[in-house]
Amino acid sequence: MSNLATVPKNGTLSNRNSNGNYLNVSDWLDDIFNRDLPSVFTSNFNTGMSLPKINIKETADAFMVEMAVPGLKKSDFHIDLDNQVLSISTETKEETEHKEENYTRREFGYSSFKRSFNLPESINDEKINANYENGILSILLPKKEEAKQKPARSIKIL
């Protein structure tokens, strides 16, 4: 019989019955709250927009970041660089109002997201540029000259 305490997912210490014939309340609650939830609950529902996926491609000369975010305008994006941390964010608000003789209907919409990345020291931050076209935000992160991959070469033996 073991006297070791186990640490469940919620971080609290609990003693488990060594015969394992019953489920205690803590385990039951862990099971309820840690099971896979429908995507409506795991998305960024507080902001009205799910977190867009990012593709990052590395070449010998640069990194290319691509983010699919259709339906926005260039002016909706904010791209900031602070101490080698690249942040991409957007915030959109929409308000409509429909007035009739007996009632007024107002609808409000708000959506936002923010993604941040620690950039390697090899990035030439003076030459970073971004483009938004056909729903794809592309950010080119060029490497410093000394960090660029040199082509393979043969070395002659003397």
Side-chain angles (χ1 to χ4, degrees):
M1 180 160 138
S2 173
N3 290 332
L4 296 176
T6 59
V7 181
K9 293 178 187 172
N10 65 5
T12 63
L13 290 176
S14 66
N15 290 321
R16 296 203 182 241
N17 183 357
S18 61
N19 65 15
N21 289 335
Y22 67 91
L23 190 65
N24 65 33
V25 174
S26 176
D27 291 337
W28 180 72
L29 289 172
D30 281 348
D31 184 51
I32 289 174
F33 290 109
N34 291 319
R35 55 174 70 140
D36 290 333
L37 297 173
S39 63
V40 69
F41 295 115
T42 58
S43 69
N44 200 358
F45 66 88
N46 287 332
T47 61
M49 180 183 286
S50 61
L51 206 55
K53 304 287 187 204
I54 299 277
N55 289 330
I56 300 175
K57 178 182 174 185
E58 181 179 11
T59 65
D61 298 331
F63 290 93
M64 174 61 79
V65 177
E66 293 179 322
M67 179 185 295
V69 279
L72 299 175
K73 302 178 297 239
K74 288 179 187 181
S75 60
D76 291 334
F77 293 99
H78 304 283
I79 302 174
D80 300 305
L81 181 65
D82 184 23
N83 290 327
Q84 294 301 108
V85 176
L86 179 73
S87 296
I88 306 163
S89 62
T90 185
E91 182 177 311
T92 59
K93 297 176 185 176
E94 188 177 318
E95 181 179 337
T96 60
E97 186 174 324
H98 182 76
K99 289 187 178 190
E100 297 265 336
E101 186 176 323
N102 297 330
Y103 71 92
T104 299
R105 184 182 78 203
R106 290 180 142 178
E107 293 183 18
F108 301 91
Y110 175 82
S111 61
S112 69
F113 72 83
K114 183 174 185 177
R115 301 278 320 247
S116 295
F117 306 92
N118 290 316
L119 298 182
E121 293 289 327
S122 61
I123 298 297
N124 184 347
D125 58 2
E126 298 296 321
K127 294 188 177 179
I128 295 174
N129 65 56
N131 182 41
Y132 181 67
E133 188 174 333
N134 297 326
I136 304 291
L137 177 66
S138 302
I139 303 172
L140 181 67
L141 305 167
K143 294 179 181 177
K144 295 176 181 174
E145 272 309 310
E146 61 270 15
K148 290 182 181 177
Q149 238 178 1
K150 307 289 188 242
R153 63 181 181 102
S154 294
I155 299 173
K156 186 176 180 180
I157 301 173
L158 302 175

